[in-house]
């Protein structure tokens, strides 16, 4: 206390630093952007000032040697994001990869003890070569086997030595129990997939697929597993699922929902019957992130947001610590 009385500016400085640390713990907004859309056109529509990270989804091994695919329009998005101070990661895996028998087996082969170090080295070189800021491991469900931990263990030091990030997308109920606790400490961020609690795969069990309570239980699960709060990123959906008369074997983009149903942005259920997250629930999830001291919010996926007046990204940005945009 004597130091603070003698040097009052020291207290002000330390308080400022503490505030910055709290802000850092709540400012991450991670948006997945699929690379099967028109990336060149979409890159011009992104409000980069509301984001900290973009995960381009997905690139995967194109052959048995582990060589990763690359979409040429990734370069357009990378350049525009970097010009505005937004980090860009490449995401490997994906939910569809877990259901692809060929790709799933390819990953199993590459993650074997005799191949994993070469595969990890190739991924690290790929990240550097294409000027990504890191790699996101979105290996899910049945694709997470006994070799997952060793794979991340081989990958982490290679990326960190190059100043690159290593993150993961993980689900409580879809393979997450196969991830070793020690492995969780190697990630810079853990994107918690707190959605898909219901869906078209169980048409006779309708309901909200990403409720606030579901988000809380998913967060609690990963925190208990040892994920630090500052690295825990709450995943939110920009889509919903239909049941009954609205049933279809794919999701409903939030943009489609609000375009089809006036006032849908203020609800979580609409029509006969589509369940999703509207603005009120998104605000509550942002409050959860703030009150729990989590590291931020993750979005799947940015291309399905609504127009400005109904934008879920705008709600997330308004609720979290503002981030100063970087001018191009």
């Amino acid at each position: 206390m004597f130091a603070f009385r003698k040097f009052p500016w020291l207290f002000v400085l330390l308080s400022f630093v503490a505030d910055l640390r709290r802000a850092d713990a709540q400012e991450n907004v991670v948006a997945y952007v699929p690379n099967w859309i028109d990336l060149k056109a979409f890159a011009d529509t992104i409000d980069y000032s509301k984001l900290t990270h973009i995960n381009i989804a997905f690139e995967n091994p194109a052959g048995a040697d582990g060589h990763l695919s690359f979409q040429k329009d990734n370069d357009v998005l990378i350049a525009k994001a970097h010009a505005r101070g937004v980090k860009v990661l490449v995401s490997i895996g994906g939910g569809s990869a877990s259901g692809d028998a060929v790709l799933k087996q390819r990953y199993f082969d590459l993650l074997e003890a005799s191949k994993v170090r070469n595969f990890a080295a190739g991924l690290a070189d790929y990240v550097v070569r294409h000027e990504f800021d890191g790699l996101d491991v979105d290996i899910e469900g049945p694709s997470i086997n006994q070799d997952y931990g060793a794979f991340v263990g081989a990958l982490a030091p290679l990326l960190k030595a190059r100043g690159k990030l290593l993150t993961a997308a993980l689900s409580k109920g879809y393979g997450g129990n196969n991830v070793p606790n020690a492995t969780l400490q190697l990630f810079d961020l853990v994107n918690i997939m707190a959605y898909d609690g219901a869906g078209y795969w169980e048409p006779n069990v309708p309901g909200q697929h990403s409720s606030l309570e579901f988000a809380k239980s998913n967060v609690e699960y990963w925190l208990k597993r040892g994920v630090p709060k500052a690295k825990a990123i709450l995943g939110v959906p920009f889509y919903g699922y239909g049941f009954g008369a609205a049933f279809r074997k794919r999701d409903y983009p939030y943009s489609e929902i609000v375009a089809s149903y006036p006032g849908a942005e203020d609800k979580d259920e609409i029509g006969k019957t589509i369940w999703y997250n509207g603005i009120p629930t998104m605000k509550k999830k942002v409050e959860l992130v703030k009150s729990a001291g989590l590291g931020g919010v993750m979005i799947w996926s940015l291309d399905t947001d609504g127009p400005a007046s109904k934008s879920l990204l705008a709600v997330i940005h308004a609720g979290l610590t503002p981030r100063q945009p970087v001018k191009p």
Side-chain angles (χ1 to χ4, degrees):
M1 293 300 293
F2 175 78
F4 291 152
R5 286 196 297 269
K6 190 174 181 179
F7 305 105
W9 57 268
L10 181 59
F11 178 80
V12 174
L13 177 61
L14 291 176
S15 297
F16 177 70
V17 171
D19 286 341
L20 281 179
R21 287 176 176 172
R22 282 193 292 271
D24 286 343
Q26 296 181 356
E27 75 168 359
N28 293 302
V29 180
V30 181
Y32 281 87
V33 173
N35 61 3
W36 53 83
I37 65 173
D38 185 346
L39 275 186
K40 190 176 293 185
F42 184 65
D44 286 330
T45 71
I46 297 173
D47 187 347
Y48 295 94
S49 68
K50 292 181 170 64
L51 303 173
T52 59
H53 302 73
I54 290 174
N55 290 351
I56 296 180
F58 296 97
E59 300 292 353
N60 283 302
D65 62 354
H67 177 74
L68 227 59
S69 60
F70 185 80
Q71 306 296 324
K72 61 182 178 61
D73 286 345
N74 290 351
D75 283 332
V76 176
L77 181 55
I78 293 169
K80 290 183 180 294
H82 281 172
R84 292 159 178 83
V86 176
K87 295 183 183 299
V88 184
L89 289 78
V90 60
S91 187
I92 63 171
S96 59
S98 299
D100 184 321
V102 173
L103 191 52
K104 182 171 67 173
Q105 187 58 51
R106 187 172 295 159
Y107 269 110
F108 286 166
D109 292 342
L110 291 167
L111 266 57
E112 288 181 353
S114 61
K115 300 178 183 178
V116 68
R117 292 192 179 280
N118 284 340
F119 182 46
L123 292 176
D125 290 343
Y126 176 98
V127 167
V128 172
R129 184 167 65 254
H130 291 293
E131 299 184 348
F132 286 107
D133 297 290
L135 185 138
D136 176 66
V137 180
D138 189 10
I139 296 176
E140 304 177 18
S143 291
I144 300 177
N145 69 356
Q146 70 280 357
D147 295 323
Y148 181 96
F151 166 57
V152 175
L155 187 58
L158 295 174
L159 289 172
K160 294 182 189 303
R162 292 164 171 81
K164 303 297 183 179
L165 298 171
L166 177 60
T167 70
L170 292 172
S171 169
K172 170 186 175 183
Y174 193 56
N177 59 307
N178 291 327
V179 177
N181 287 347
T183 300
L184 298 173
Q185 307 305 315
L186 300 176
F187 296 118
D188 294 294
L189 298 175
V190 173
N191 299 306
I192 300 170
M193 295 189 286
Y195 38 70
D196 291 353
Y200 60 81
W201 50 90
E202 290 186 311
N204 297 321
V205 189
Q208 177 58 270
H209 78 101
S210 185
S211 67
L212 179 62
E213 290 305 314
F214 190 70
K216 289 179 179 178
S217 68
N218 276 259
V219 167
E220 182 180 6
Y221 172 81
W222 289 108
L223 293 183
K224 286 184 176 178
R225 291 280 307 275
V227 175
K229 286 185 177 182
K231 294 183 178 183
I233 311 298
L234 175 62
V236 298
F238 279 19
Y239 65 93
Y241 291 114
F243 299 90
F247 175 81
R248 67 186 188 190
K249 289 187 175 181
R250 59 186 179 91
D251 61 43
Y252 279 82
Y254 174 75
S255 55
E256 178 185 340
I257 295 170
V258 296
S260 302
Y261 298 94
E265 67 273 13
D266 296 321
K267 303 177 181 179
D268 280 349
E269 178 189 359
I270 204 79
K272 298 183 178 179
T273 302
I274 304 169
W275 292 88
Y276 58 100
N277 281 184
I279 289 175
T281 292
M282 197 60 64
K283 286 182 177 178
K284 291 176 182 177
K285 288 187 175 182
V286 172
E287 282 301 316
L288 170 62
V289 168
K290 292 169 65 178
S291 64
L294 305 181
V297 174
M298 174 271 281
I299 297 159
W300 180 273
S301 60
L302 188 61
D303 59 305
T304 56
D305 195 12
S309 62
K310 304 175 182 181
S311 168
L312 296 179
L313 175 60
V315 171
I316 292 167
H317 175 72
L320 295 179
T321 302
R323 171 181 175 274
Q324 293 299 319
V326 176
K327 294 182 181 180

